[in-house]
Amino acid sequence: MSIYLDNAATSYPKPESVYQAVMHAMREVGASPGRAGHRRSLEATRIMFQAREAAATLFCVPDASRIIFTHSATEALNLALRGTLRPGDHVVTTSMEHNSLTRPLHLLQKLGVEQTIVQAGPDGAIDPDDIRRAVMPRTRMIAIGHVSNVSGTIQPIDSISAIARAAGALFLLDAAQSAGSLPIDVVTSAIDLLAAPGHKGLYGPQGTGLLYVADHVALSPLLAGGTGTSSTSEDQPDTVPEGFESGTHNLPGIAGLKAGMEFVMEQGVAAIGEHERGLVTYAIELLQVVPQVTLHCPADPALRGAVLSFTVAGKDPTEVAFELDQYFDIAVRAGLHCAPRAHRTLGTFPGGTVRMSPGWFTTREDIAMFCEAVVQCL
C-alpha cells in the first residue's frame, strides 16, 4: 500500500474534479483566454474569470481583479518583492523563511535594499515584539511565511500585520503552507500582498500560483509582453491583473486550480486544517515515545500546522527517507527543504530533517503505518 506524506511539497492525489478540469480545458476548450473573440477563447476567458472569483472568495478579497495568476508561489513572491521595493528601502523578515523569499531578498540586498532578519525561537516561533523592535523609519515591508515548511510553526500574522500597519509598511504573507488549510482573510488580517502556490493546499496542478495585491499597493511588473489589451501601445499596461500576466496563460493549470479551490471550499478550510493537524498530532503521539526520535515542532498544538519534522539518532535523514520509500513505499522528504536558515534556527543544520506532511486524503491508518515503519528503520 503506497502512502504519500509529502503534501507540503506538492499535494497528491488531487480531487477527481481537478483531473477532469485539466482535461476539459485541453480537450474541449483548447484556446487562449483574452486573445480572440471566438467561442473557444471566450470559454477560456470565462474559466479564468471564475478561477479569479474562486480565489477571491477563498481569501476574502473584495475585488477579484486584484488576483494575479503566476506559475508558482516563488514567482508571486518575486513579483511582490521586486515589484514594490527600491534601493534604500528596508525589509523585516525572519530566520524561518523558505528560499523563495530569502533569495529574492538577498538579490535585492545587493541592489540596495536593506533587510533585518528577526531570529525565531528554537521551536520556530516569532515573537511579534522582536518584529516591532526591528522596524525603523525606512521600513517598507514586513515579509514572513504563515507556516514554516520545516517545523510547521504557525506565526501570529494578525499581531505582525498590525505592526506593519502602524509603521506604514506593507505586509507580505507567504501562504505556501497555509493556503487551503488555515482560514485567511486579507482584509481582517490587513494583508497587503499574499503569495500562494496552486499545487499544495489548493490542490491544483504544478505550474500554478497566485498573488493578491491590495488596491493601495503600487506594483511594477516583472515581465513585459503580450497581454491581449492595449495592443496599440509599446508600453506595458499598468492595469491589474492584465499588466502582470504577460504571455499565454496556463489555462489547463488554472482550470485545475479553479477546481481545486472549489473542492477546498466545499470541504471547508477549517475542516481540512483540523483533519491534517489532527494527523500530525497523532504522529507526534506515536513517535514521541520512541527514544531515538527527536521531534522538531512547537509543543503547543495550537501553533502547529500540517508539517512534522524529526531526526533519528545515528541515522542521516536521507537514509531514513530512502528506507521508507524503498522498503515501505512511503513518500516523505528529507534534507534542508530549501530553508537553511530555518534549520539553523532549529539546530538541524546541515543534515536537515525527515519531514512528513499529510493531506486531506491521508488517513489515521496511514499515519500508524508510517510511524511503525519509522520504528522498523531504527
Side-chain angles (χ1 to χ4, degrees):
M1 177 181 177
S2 178
I3 298 175
Y4 184 84
L5 294 173
D6 196 19
N7 289 274
T10 294
S11 58
Y12 177 83
K14 309 295 185 183
E16 181 60 29
S17 59
V18 172
Y19 302 126
Q20 293 177 358
V22 171
M23 292 306 296
H24 172 77
M26 295 184 71
R27 290 184 178 275
E28 307 301 329
V29 182
S32 297
R35 297 299 193 272
H38 56 73
R39 67 185 63 185
R40 290 183 180 275
S41 181
L42 293 177
E43 174 63 10
T45 302
R46 184 186 65 82
I47 291 172
M48 289 285 298
F49 175 81
Q50 292 179 340
R52 238 182 277 279
E53 290 286 328
T57 301
L58 182 60
F59 298 115
C60 305
V61 174
D63 178 1
S65 71
R66 307 304 299 185
I67 299 290
I68 298 169
F69 286 119
T70 63
H71 88 274
S72 63
T74 298
E75 181 185 342
L77 287 168
N78 272 266
L79 177 56
L81 295 166
R82 299 173 66 183
T84 59
L85 299 174
R86 301 291 179 266
D89 287 341
H90 174 250
V91 179
V92 178
T93 188
T94 85
S95 67
M96 292 302 295
E97 307 311 324
H98 190 277
N99 276 342
S100 59
L101 183 57
T102 63
R103 283 180 171 171
L105 279 175
H106 181 68
L107 174 63
L108 286 167
Q109 190 173 31
K110 294 180 179 180
L111 300 176
V113 175
E114 185 181 351
Q115 65 172 313
T116 298
I117 302 169
V118 173
Q119 186 67 30
D123 61 353
I126 297 296
D127 185 342
D129 286 337
D130 291 337
I131 297 283
R132 184 178 291 107
R133 283 188 284 268
V135 171
M136 58 181 62
R138 292 185 295 103
T139 300
R140 171 69 172 149
M141 177 185 288
I142 297 175
I144 68 164
H146 195 176
V147 175
S148 168
N149 73 312
V150 178
S151 64
T153 309
I154 302 173
Q155 306 297 356
I157 63 168
D158 287 352
S159 298
I160 296 172
S161 68
I163 295 169
R165 175 172 290 183
L170 298 174
F171 181 57
L172 166 60
L173 185 67
D174 175 2
Q177 299 300 331
S178 61
S181 61
L182 285 177
I184 298 174
D185 185 322
V186 299
V187 176
T188 59
S189 292
I191 299 168
D192 300 300
L193 297 146
L194 172 77
H199 65 104
K200 299 180 191 283
L202 300 184
Y203 290 95
Q206 292 103 321
T208 59
L210 60 87
L211 176 68
Y212 157 72
V213 185
D215 58 11
H216 59 269
V217 177
L219 193 68
S220 299
L222 287 180
L223 299 175
T227 62
T229 58
S230 304
S231 296
T232 60
S233 174
E234 293 183 357
D235 292 324
Q236 180 74 4
D238 58 4
T239 53
V240 178
E242 292 88 352
F244 301 88
E245 294 178 351
S246 292
T248 301
H249 293 91
N250 174 13
L251 182 68
I254 293 171
L257 174 56
K258 168 182 170 291
M261 291 187 291
E262 290 171 345
F263 175 84
V264 166
M265 288 186 282
E266 287 169 4
Q267 309 308 314
V269 172
I272 291 174
E274 182 179 358
H275 172 73
E276 294 176 349
R277 291 189 294 274
L279 294 176
V280 167
T281 298
Y282 182 42
I284 290 172
E285 292 172 357
L286 297 179
L287 292 176
Q288 66 184 358
V289 298
V290 182
Q292 299 97 320
V293 173
T294 300
L295 304 175
H296 303 279
C297 62
D300 184 354
L303 299 180
R304 295 198 297 255
V307 173
L308 177 64
S309 276
F310 65 94
T311 49
V312 175
K315 302 199 75 167
D316 188 277
T318 57
E319 182 183 3
V320 177
F322 176 82
E323 292 178 2
L324 289 172
D325 179 42
Q326 293 297 306
Y327 305 143
F328 302 97
D329 199 7
I330 297 175
V332 296
R333 183 174 175 184
L336 295 177
H337 313 101
C338 299
R341 285 182 184 165
H343 283 280
R344 288 188 172 96
T345 300
L346 301 174
T348 52
F349 186 88
T353 60
V354 182
R355 185 188 72 186
M356 61 82 72
S357 48
W360 175 248
F361 298 103
T362 309
T363 66
R364 282 177 65 89
E365 180 184 7
D366 292 335
I367 298 301
M369 294 175 66
F370 158 73
C371 293
E372 176 59 30
V374 171
V375 172
Q376 293 187 46
C377 289
L378 300 178

